Amino acid sequence: MLRRSKVVLQKLLRLGFNRPQQAWRLQSSLVNEKACQYQPGQKIHGFTVQEVVGVPDLFITAVKLTHDKTGAQYLHAARDDSNNLFSVQFRTTPLDNTGVPHILEHTVLCGSERYPCRDPFFKMLDRSLSTFMNAFTANDYTMYPFSTQNGKDFQNLLSVYLDAVFFPILREQDFCQEGWRLEHENPTDLNSPLMFKGVVFNEMKGAFSDNERVYAQHLQNKLYPEHTYSVVAGGEPLAIPDLAWEQLKEFHATHYHPSNARFFTYGDLPLEQHLQQIQEEALSKFDRVNTNTEVPAQSHWSSPREAHVTCSPDALAPDPARQHRLCVSYLLGDITDTFEGFTLNLLSSLMISGPNSPFYKALIEPKMGSDYSSVVGYDGSTREASFSVGLQGMAEEDAEKVKQIISRTIDDIVENGFQEERIDALLHEIEIGMKHQSANFGLSLASYIASSWNHGGDPVELLQINDSVDKFREALKENPRFLQDKVKHYFKENPHRLTLSMSPDEGYLEKQAEAEKEKLHKKINALSESDKKEIYEKGLQLLAAQSCPPDASSLPSLKVSDIAPTAPITPLQIGAAGGVPVQYCEQPTNGLVYFRAFCSLNTLPEDVKLYVPLFCNVITKMGSSAQDFKQQAQQMERRTGGMSVSTRVVCDSTHLDMYEQGVLLFSSCLERNLPHMFRLWSDIFNSPHFKDEERMRALVKMSAQELANGISHSGHMYAMTRAGRHLTPAAELHEAFDGMEQVKFMKSIAETSDLSRVVRLLPRIKKHLLNPANMRCAINATPQNMSDTSVQLESFMKEVAVNSKVRRPVRTNVIERPIRTDNSSMSRKLVLDENFKPCQMKTIFQLPFPVNFVSEAIRTVPPSHEHHASLRILGRMMTSKFLHGEIREKGGAYGGGARMSDGLFCFYSYRDPTPGQTLSVFRRGVDWAKSGQFSQQDIDEAKLSVFSSVDSPVSPANKGVVGFLTGVTDEMQQDYRERLFAASHSSLVEVAERYLGAGQRTCGVAILGPGSETILKDPSWIIK
């Protein structure tokens, strides 16, 4: 997977995962005590301990080691957390655009000496209870991480990963499948035309259909015109066919060596066990070498440079006439200087983040563009960091003005500096981030330290964030102009800066297609008759290999008996505050309080429903009668960990035509700031300020731009949402709130010159939504903080209840159901749409992408139905045993599969060059399932994969939240768990026949992308 990463504090401090299990035990633990006993100089299984450092703020003991024989570096972060993580990363520094590190990342996972089966990586997804498995190609390193809560599973995955990266087979056939190949459109038809195929080839065509990605890539290549950053690490589509198999093998030999490796482990499993396995299975077989992969420093320019590039027009841009982008990017210092990087990161936030920042005031408020440029702020993903600032969605004639504004704003900062309150707010954000416990904390750490460690930085020093905070405070105390001096040095007086502009070219896509056609013709014209014959024969051989059932017997696997028979129970208490029901969940939240409130939409008139996502987006950003939006934003930064409002549509667990609709309020704060947090919510409830039309216009443009930008990398989600639109009432509303309908709606609002209707409607929505009569709340906090939190919540509820009144539901069929069977004081108000008639519809959104996103959704059964669990197992099994091979390996799409979602069985594909063929694959997948051509081993593997999701870790902040939002109790989850265990061969065949067969199903189909000639000529498709 290609990754564009930025090493920013948010990687560590703000990376939250909402998925579920263990409560964090933050007291001193045996795990840390054991790690503290290691001594520098101690020899352990071929490694020597270099350093042992306690990081109490993160509840970690860091142990740094070096492998004696190879020089491999190793960092272990011991923490009382059962979600253990391993990663190994290699510095990978390509010098051309062929995408060799990216294709190698794919190919090493296709079979190794010890595990020679095809595609062991994807097969281990079904033989493991991993909470995370992936691989990333970044600018200058490739990382292979996994995490799991099962000790045996950790050993299994570690064995597979070590063998994959150090002893891959690197078959030519796998290189052709994953990278690129010349092959007949129909591999069995010698007369069909030759074309480029390959997973990475199509992935990168999709990546470069994203204008944000195109801009970011050009910016990096031109700011760092020397060495590895001047090329496309992931591969430029037209350069990928220049890569030869021999070059791939050579790159592996020179880069994937222990002397060029950095190992990281995290969690509560014993370090010695990891070291012994790594030594015995991999490192003992190597000697130290000089890998020569270092990235030299970029030569600094003596004068600034400018450049211009073009891109594809965006059909969904908020303003089609304003699609110009411009930003100024500055080369900064070496990222291995931890404190300098910390300082520049903070400085970046002070300069651009929030409405009180100088660049927001100078660039965003005048509404010269729709939002900041897609590359903005501090970027530490290269050896020398950079800072970028500019605009997108602007008029080309404003380019000079924007450049002058950027220069003038730099001068103003040097002259006036920053308000002390803003610096305090940022340090408060760091404090909150360090206290927040995310469920996949190990992955956050691995990601956070990767770039600096890759270039010789000290990963332990990176973890000691409080030391950097103290040093920062001291620097400010000694020199009040500390930050201004940095701005003067790195920005005002820095000649190594690039101004890059980008504008749409109506012929861009045609030029790209023509260039690919020319490349193809050049390749074909160079072929002899024997070459063509060989291509045909290799195509048939690859197809035969892809069609042959793989032998995965060499791979290790857990058993279904390794899955815990029961899920842990989360203790909850139900109370009330000001007459509003409240769920209290006592958790070790490290002094943070997490507040949620669900507000029903049942009384809201139907004609304003489409405006609800906009309402959610702006309600916390418009200010109130007590504070304007800048003052409000400052208070949120100083007193909370963030405040948000979002739409929620939840299909009922018992009935497909019943659902709950509402918005979810969420915020967090340190316990000492509870009164301030609830005061902010009170101001938002009682006196939001909607009348500032200029502020509203800026937020509308930013929202519309963000939605338009998101389609190219989340197209499969939009396709699935659209495909389900006409199948259930909940799916219909989901499309209105989160689908293409909302994207187009926001585009139309952004294009409207008069926002007075919007300004009039939002207070009307507020009266219906922010109403205690339609609310329920949830609090997650420590037992010590719960009493005070309850008092503060009571006070808040009484304050906002003054201006509320009971309103009638718009729908007559509202059914009230208690969330807990043992307590009826908290309930969900569900809408039953008895008149809903599901219907079939096929829709294609023609968008300027070179690849497609395809989905077919089928109406099935709700989660409490006896067959739902079998359908979920079936979806996972179809993905791994049939769809993956057909859609990705044969079809060349980046990904594809099937899954159950709210009573809909959804097929999907991602960055897919052959949409018509994929729709046929979906249908053949159903035939495969109905035929029962799968084994008990296949079923067991699907169960392991499903349970890895069901039992994934839940952070203290999110304990009890699923039940609060969905009404699914621990008892209901246990019943469902037992149905998953009970799924059998006969039940899977039965559900395939009953719900997925052509005669039984009601389905919807959606495609985002260019489609195909056959589809576009088919009158049964609606073309948007």
Side-chain angles (χ1 to χ4, degrees), residues 680-713:
L680 284 163
W681 277 123
S682 182
D683 290 342
I684 289 169
F685 268 64
N686 289 332
S687 57
H689 186 60
F690 290 118
K691 294 182 180 177
D692 186 345
E693 194 168 323
E694 293 306 305
R695 171 66 173 163
M696 181 72 72
R697 185 173 302 283
L699 293 175
V700 163
K701 283 189 173 183
M702 290 170 75
S703 178
Q705 185 73 59
E706 186 178 346
L707 286 171
N709 290 346
I711 294 172
S712 63
H713 42 84

Coordinates of all heavy atoms in Angstrom, one line a residue, residues 680-713:
L680 N -19.2 25.8 27.0 CA -19.2 25.9 25.6 C -20.4 25.2 24.9 O -21.0 25.8 24.0 CB -17.9 25.3 25.1 CG -16.6 26.1 25.3 CD1 -15.3 25.2 25.1 CD2 -16.6 27.3 24.3
W681 N -20.7 24.0 25.4 CA -21.9 23.3 24.8 C -23.2 24.1 25.1 O -24.1 24.2 24.2 CB -22.1 21.9 25.4 CG -21.2 20.9 24.7 CD1 -20.3 20.0 25.3 CD2 -21.2 20.5 23.3 NE1 -19.7 19.2 24.4 CE2 -20.3 19.4 23.2 CE3 -21.9 20.9 22.2 CZ2 -20.0 18.8 22.0 CZ3 -21.7 20.3 21.0 CH2 -20.7 19.3 20.9
S682 N -23.3 24.7 26.3 CA -24.4 25.5 26.6 C -24.6 26.7 25.7 O -25.7 27.0 25.2 CB -24.3 26.0 28.1 OG -25.5 26.7 28.5
D683 N -23.5 27.4 25.4 CA -23.6 28.5 24.5 C -24.0 28.0 23.1 O -24.8 28.7 22.4 CB -22.2 29.2 24.4 CG -21.8 29.9 25.6 OD1 -22.7 30.2 26.4 OD2 -20.6 30.2 25.8
I684 N -23.5 26.9 22.7 CA -23.9 26.3 21.3 C -25.4 26.0 21.3 O -26.1 26.2 20.3 CB -23.0 25.1 21.0 CG1 -21.6 25.5 20.7 CG2 -23.6 24.3 19.8 CD1 -20.6 24.4 20.6
F685 N -25.9 25.4 22.4 CA -27.3 25.0 22.5 C -28.2 26.3 22.5 O -29.2 26.4 21.8 CB -27.6 24.2 23.7 CG -27.5 22.7 23.6 CD1 -26.3 22.2 23.2 CD2 -28.5 21.9 23.7 CE1 -26.1 20.8 23.0 CE2 -28.4 20.5 23.6 CZ -27.2 20.0 23.2
N686 N -27.8 27.2 23.4 CA -28.8 28.3 23.7 C -28.6 29.5 22.7 O -29.6 30.2 22.5 CB -28.6 28.8 25.1 CG -29.1 27.8 26.1 OD1 -30.0 27.0 25.8 ND2 -28.5 27.8 27.3
S687 N -27.4 29.8 22.2 CA -27.3 31.0 21.4 C -26.3 30.9 20.3 O -25.3 31.7 20.2 CB -26.9 32.2 22.4 OG -25.7 31.9 23.1
P688 N -26.4 29.9 19.4 CA -25.5 29.8 18.3 C -25.7 31.0 17.4 O -26.8 31.6 17.3 CB -25.9 28.5 17.6 CG -27.3 28.4 17.9 CD -27.5 28.9 19.3
H689 N -24.6 31.4 16.8 CA -24.6 32.6 15.9 C -24.5 32.2 14.5 O -23.5 31.9 13.9 CB -23.4 33.5 16.3 CG -23.4 34.8 15.6 ND1 -24.4 35.7 15.7 CD2 -22.5 35.3 14.7 CE1 -24.1 36.8 15.0 NE2 -23.0 36.6 14.3
F690 N -25.7 32.2 13.8 CA -25.8 31.7 12.4 C -25.8 32.9 11.4 O -25.8 32.7 10.2 CB -27.0 30.9 12.2 CG -27.0 29.5 12.9 CD1 -27.9 29.2 13.8 CD2 -26.0 28.6 12.5 CE1 -27.9 28.0 14.5 CE2 -26.0 27.3 13.1 CZ -26.9 27.0 14.1
K691 N -25.8 34.1 11.9 CA -26.1 35.2 11.0 C -24.9 35.7 10.2 O -25.1 36.6 9.3 CB -26.8 36.4 11.8 CG -28.1 36.0 12.3 CD -28.8 37.1 13.1 CE -30.1 36.8 13.6 NZ -30.8 37.8 14.4
D692 N -23.7 35.3 10.6 CA -22.5 35.7 9.9 C -22.4 35.0 8.5 O -21.8 33.9 8.4 CB -21.3 35.4 10.8 CG -20.0 36.0 10.2 OD1 -20.0 36.4 9.0 OD2 -19.0 36.1 10.9
E693 N -23.0 35.6 7.5 CA -23.1 35.0 6.2 C -21.7 34.8 5.6 O -21.5 33.8 4.9 CB -24.0 35.8 5.3 CG -24.4 35.0 4.0 CD -25.5 35.7 3.2 OE1 -26.4 36.3 3.9 OE2 -25.5 35.6 2.0
E694 N -20.8 35.7 5.8 CA -19.4 35.5 5.3 C -18.7 34.3 5.9 O -18.0 33.6 5.2 CB -18.6 36.8 5.5 CG -19.2 38.0 4.8 CD -19.3 37.8 3.3 OE1 -18.3 37.4 2.7 OE2 -20.4 37.9 2.7
R695 N -18.8 34.2 7.2 CA -18.2 33.0 7.8 C -18.9 31.7 7.3 O -18.2 30.7 7.1 CB -18.4 33.1 9.4 CG -18.1 31.9 10.2 CD -16.6 31.6 10.1 NE -16.2 30.5 11.0 CZ -15.1 29.8 10.9 NH1 -14.2 30.1 10.0 NH2 -14.8 28.9 11.8
M696 N -20.2 31.8 7.2 CA -20.9 30.6 6.6 C -20.4 30.2 5.3 O -20.2 29.1 4.9 CB -22.4 30.9 6.6 CG -23.3 29.8 6.1 SD -23.4 28.4 7.3 CE -24.4 29.2 8.5
R697 N -20.2 31.2 4.4 CA -19.8 31.0 3.1 C -18.4 30.3 3.1 O -18.2 29.3 2.3 CB -19.7 32.3 2.2 CG -19.4 32.0 0.8 CD -19.5 33.3 0.0 NE -20.8 33.9 0.1 CZ -21.9 33.4 -0.6 NH1 -21.8 32.4 -1.4 NH2 -23.1 34.0 -0.4
A698 N -17.5 30.7 3.9 CA -16.2 30.1 4.0 C -16.3 28.7 4.4 O -15.6 27.8 3.8 CB -15.3 30.9 5.0
L699 N -17.1 28.4 5.4 CA -17.3 27.0 5.9 C -18.0 26.1 4.8 O -17.6 24.9 4.7 CB -18.1 27.0 7.2 CG -17.4 27.6 8.4 CD1 -18.3 27.6 9.6 CD2 -16.1 26.9 8.7
V700 N -18.9 26.7 4.1 CA -19.6 25.9 3.0 C -18.6 25.5 1.9 O -18.6 24.4 1.5 CB -20.8 26.7 2.4 CG1 -21.2 26.2 1.1 CG2 -21.9 26.7 3.4
K701 N -17.8 26.5 1.5 CA -16.8 26.2 0.5 C -15.8 25.1 0.9 O -15.4 24.2 0.2 CB -16.1 27.5 0.1 CG -16.9 28.4 -0.8 CD -16.0 29.5 -1.3 CE -16.8 30.4 -2.4 NZ -16.0 31.4 -2.9
M702 N -15.3 25.2 2.2 CA -14.4 24.3 2.7 C -15.0 22.9 2.7 O -14.4 21.9 2.4 CB -13.9 24.7 4.1 CG -13.0 25.9 4.1 SD -12.7 26.6 5.7 CE -11.5 25.4 6.3
S703 N -16.2 22.8 3.2 CA -16.9 21.5 3.3 C -17.1 20.9 1.9 O -16.9 19.7 1.7 CB -18.3 21.7 4.0 OG -18.9 20.5 4.1
A704 N -17.6 21.7 0.9 CA -17.8 21.2 -0.4 C -16.5 20.7 -1.0 O -16.4 19.7 -1.7 CB -18.5 22.3 -1.3
Q705 N -15.4 21.5 -0.8 CA -14.1 21.1 -1.4 C -13.6 19.8 -0.8 O -13.1 18.9 -1.5 CB -13.1 22.2 -1.1 CG -11.7 22.0 -1.7 CD -11.8 22.2 -3.2 OE1 -12.1 23.3 -3.7 NE2 -11.4 21.2 -4.0
E706 N -13.8 19.7 0.5 CA -13.3 18.4 1.2 C -14.1 17.2 0.7 O -13.5 16.2 0.5 CB -13.6 18.6 2.7 CG -13.0 17.5 3.6 CD -13.2 17.7 5.0 OE1 -13.5 18.8 5.5 OE2 -13.1 16.7 5.8
L707 N -15.4 17.4 0.5 CA -16.2 16.2 0.0 C -15.7 15.9 -1.4 O -15.6 14.7 -1.8 CB -17.7 16.6 0.0 CG -18.4 16.6 1.3 CD1 -19.8 17.2 1.2 CD2 -18.5 15.2 1.9
A708 N -15.5 16.9 -2.3 CA -15.1 16.6 -3.7 C -13.8 15.9 -3.7 O -13.5 15.0 -4.5 CB -15.1 17.9 -4.5
N709 N -12.8 16.4 -2.8 CA -11.5 15.8 -2.8 C -11.5 14.4 -2.3 O -10.6 13.6 -2.7 CB -10.6 16.6 -1.9 CG -10.3 18.0 -2.5 OD1 -10.5 18.3 -3.7 ND2 -9.7 18.9 -1.7
G710 N -12.5 14.0 -1.5 CA -12.4 12.7 -0.9 C -12.9 11.5 -1.8 O -12.6 10.4 -1.4
I711 N -13.5 11.8 -2.9 CA -14.1 10.7 -3.7 C -13.1 9.8 -4.3 O -13.2 8.6 -4.3 CB -15.0 11.4 -4.8 CG1 -16.2 12.1 -4.2 CG2 -15.5 10.3 -5.8 CD1 -17.0 12.8 -5.1
S712 N -11.9 10.4 -4.7 CA -11.0 9.5 -5.5 C -10.3 8.5 -4.6 O -9.9 7.5 -5.1 CB -9.9 10.4 -6.1 OG -9.2 11.1 -5.1
H713 N -10.2 8.7 -3.3 CA -9.6 7.7 -2.4 C -10.7 6.9 -1.6 O -10.3 6.0 -0.8 CB -8.5 8.2 -1.6 CG -8.7 9.5 -1.0 ND1 -9.3 9.7 0.2 CD2 -8.3 10.7 -1.4 CE1 -9.3 11.0 0.5 NE2 -8.7 11.7 -0.5

